[in-house]
Amino acid sequence: MNTDPATSPSATSPSAASPSAPPPSAASPRASDDTVSLIDPRTGRIRGSSPVARGPRVAATVGAARRAFDGWRARTPRERSRALDRLAGLIEEHADEYAALERAGTGKPAHEAAGEVANAADLFRFYAWAARTQPAPAAGGFVAGHESWVRWEPLGVAGVVVPWNYPLMMATWRCAPALAAGNTVVVKPAETTPDSLLLLAEHAREALGESVLETLPGDRETGRLLVAGAIDLVAFTGSAAAGADVAARAGTRRVSLELGGNSPVVVLPDAPEDTWTELALATTYNAGQSCAVPARVITLRENYESAVSLLGEAMRERLAGRDFGPLNNADQAARYDRIVAASAAKLTVTADTAPGTGEEGGFWRPAGVLAQLPDDDPAVVDEVFGPLLTVQAADSVAEAVALANGVPQALAASVWTRDLAAGLDLAGRLNAGEAWLNCHLVQTAELPHGGRGSSGHGTDLSTLALHEYQRPKTITARLTLTPRFR
């Protein structure tokens, strides 16, 4: 995803910024050296402020997580499971508060925020169960007279850096398996969206214990300080450039990177009738600010014109302000505008916007379609991260696959056809960590999600994600104490 969260370590004391703080006027995001002004993306106006963690606070928070590690690790899987289940319960009990905090920082519609809070609670509950499932790849008598087995052990303190597009949910994707595996966690939210993670830290202290999960609000320097700090692994979700920086700073420590996508959507002439409506819904969910969002529609020549027409009609029905929220911040809005302005598309379809009263100054961008554009167009090659679809034509299915696989990102993709056998074959040929057939953005805790190429490496979701936060230890015991040599 093309978010650029702070990639630093350090922290100030977690004090929640009020989402209802008065927004007197638009101002510079930087309020002072130790606080940052928070902007409501729906209005573009200041809504409050948040602390910015620096070296001493980062070191103190990581140190506290280190001290908490032995106790958390020593808990039995059942005990950790019950604690995580309690945290899931607290999220559900305070779901309205979490949703309000999510909306304050992101501008999401109420139904999107509520659904994501419910998903976060479900994921903590899923990993509460997963904490009691410990797969062992090998055990038994592999050497005569000896017995061997493999233990999966936590790494220690996990530094988690997450973006602004799904503040609570992206943190949960990382924190829940790390905690289930027996690690303690220090999570760094994006500069613009600390709110819900500050509340999560409060509830984690109640459910898990002191400093098992802590939140470090701050800016990019805060993230860099965290990555450089005394942590044992880094789990980062954000842009490719920031991910490369994180990997360089992490050195030999474990790094898990989810660096976004530029998802191809291959639509064959026999696609289902609801293809265009479904693509419009998926593309505008969260204003298109999703790492796996549909981005590049690829058709055959024979259905290109109808695809552009039908997709344009479906996207015109989606109104920013009524059906989906704004872009998150001024920098993201400016980046989006630069990519669209640089496009050589000869055909542009743009929907209307419908911001509420007093929200005219927000970072609203309309749903749109770009067509008749070159294959190396900026809107094709770059991850746009907004409510926009490009449409390309291919002369054959083989060329469609080549276009789909022709960008550095390889996170997600989808295929649309009534021929299920052909669709499954095509999905298997796409270079993506996750591929859908006649749907898009359908995810659940049980199924893994992860990227390839410049989309990063590592696994989110499913029990496979536990291994991102564990390391195997082989133990071999001699079964007899009879001396081998006399």
Side-chain angles (χ1 to χ4, degrees):
M1 58 196 43
N2 218 338
T3 56
D4 224 340
T7 60
S8 61
S10 166
T12 24
S13 81
S15 69
S18 169
S20 58
S25 63
S28 168
R30 177 68 61 197
S32 71
D33 289 340
D34 57 359
T35 63
V36 61
S37 293
L38 300 175
I39 306 299
D40 186 337
R42 294 166 292 192
T43 64
R45 295 161 66 88
I46 294 174
R47 63 183 179 85
S49 64
S50 175
V52 174
R54 288 293 177 251
R57 177 61 64 176
V58 174
T61 303
V62 171
R66 175 73 59 197
R67 291 189 293 275
F69 172 62
D70 286 342
W72 178 249
R73 175 188 187 180
R75 294 196 197 186
T76 64
R78 179 169 65 176
E79 290 169 338
R80 285 202 303 271
S81 176
R82 288 179 173 177
L84 290 170
D85 187 71
R86 174 58 179 147
L87 180 55
L90 287 172
I91 293 173
E92 290 172 335
E93 290 171 29
H94 298 269
D96 290 344
E97 186 176 357
Y98 274 105
L101 294 172
E102 287 284 281
R103 296 194 69 201
T106 65
K108 297 175 187 287
H111 70 277
E112 288 187 11
E116 290 161 22
V117 171
N119 284 338
D122 177 70
L123 200 59
F124 271 113
R125 190 157 279 126
F126 173 82
Y127 281 107
W129 164 81
R132 302 181 73 171
T133 63
Q134 295 293 321
F142 295 95
V143 180
H146 297 73
E147 189 75 13
S148 302
W149 62 97
V150 176
R151 293 178 52 165
W152 286 96
E153 299 181 339
L155 280 81
V157 179
V160 171
V161 182
V162 295
W164 40 254
N165 56 336
Y166 297 103
L168 179 64
M169 199 163 68
M170 288 293 97
T172 303
W173 280 28
R174 296 299 200 167
C175 295
L179 292 165
N183 304 277
T184 53
V185 174
V186 178
V187 58
K188 161 68 180 67
E191 182 175 333
T192 60
T193 54
D195 311 83
S196 58
L197 295 193
L198 292 168
L199 181 60
L200 180 66
E202 291 181 19
H203 288 148
R205 283 190 284 273
E206 179 179 344
L208 311 180
E210 193 68 30
S211 298
V212 174
L213 168 61
E214 286 290 358
T215 295
L216 276 179
D219 56 11
R220 295 186 184 188
E221 180 59 22
T222 308
R224 296 185 184 103
L225 290 169
L226 177 59
V227 171
I231 58 177
D232 300 291
L233 71 146
V234 183
F236 175 82
T237 304
S239 72
D245 181 68
V246 166
R249 294 173 187 274
T252 59
R253 291 170 294 171
R254 176 82 64 86
V255 178
S256 178
L257 301 174
E258 201 269 66
L259 306 180
N262 191 1
S263 300
V265 176
V266 180
V267 182
L268 299 184
D270 65 343
E273 291 182 3
D274 65 351
T275 296
W276 317 109
T277 300
E278 291 296 314
L279 286 176
L281 289 171
T283 302
T284 56
Y285 184 86
N286 200 37
Q289 299 170 121
S290 301
C291 52
V293 69
R296 301 177 291 127
V297 174
I298 301 167
T299 74
L300 300 184
R301 298 282 177 193
E302 62 191 273
N303 64 313
Y304 177 75
E305 290 187 6
S306 64
V308 172
S309 175
L310 293 169
L311 187 58
E313 291 178 13
M315 291 289 273
R316 284 194 190 97
E317 295 297 315
R318 304 290 294 167
L319 301 184
R322 184 194 71 185
D323 301 313
F324 60 93
L327 299 186
N328 181 260
N329 55 74
D331 288 345
Q332 173 62 14
R335 179 186 175 280
Y336 176 88
D337 292 343
R338 285 196 302 272
I339 293 174
V340 173
S343 174
K346 296 179 180 178
L347 177 62
T348 301
V349 178
T350 304
D352 293 327
T353 59
T357 302
E359 295 182 341
E360 294 82 3
F363 308 124
W364 305 99
R365 294 297 182 272
V369 176
L370 298 180
Q372 298 178 19
L373 73 177
D375 293 339
D376 61 353
D377 193 87
V380 172
V381 176
D382 295 333
E383 184 188 24
V384 176
F385 222 62
L388 183 74
L389 281 168
T390 62
V391 188
Q392 299 168 267
D395 291 324
S396 65
V397 171
E399 184 182 342
V401 171
L403 288 174
N405 294 339
V407 298
Q409 308 93 339
L411 182 66
S414 63
V415 178
W416 300 76
T417 175
R418 288 185 173 88
D419 186 335
L420 296 184
L424 288 171
D425 175 70
L426 188 51
R429 293 160 62 188
L430 296 177
N431 183 27
E434 185 167 11
W436 294 283
L437 177 57
N438 295 329
C439 57
H440 204 108
L441 286 184
V442 177
Q443 295 173 315
T444 180
E446 291 84 355
L447 298 175
H449 170 83
R452 304 171 177 181
S454 68
S455 290
H457 55 76
T459 300
D460 287 321
L461 302 176
S462 83
T463 57
L464 297 178
L466 290 172
H467 291 331
E468 294 292 297
Y469 309 95
Q470 295 173 316
R471 55 190 167 195
K473 175 186 286 183
T474 298
I475 299 177
T476 298
R478 181 160 56 97
L479 299 181
T480 174
L481 297 183
T482 302
R484 295 177 61 188
F485 305 102
R486 297 182 182 274

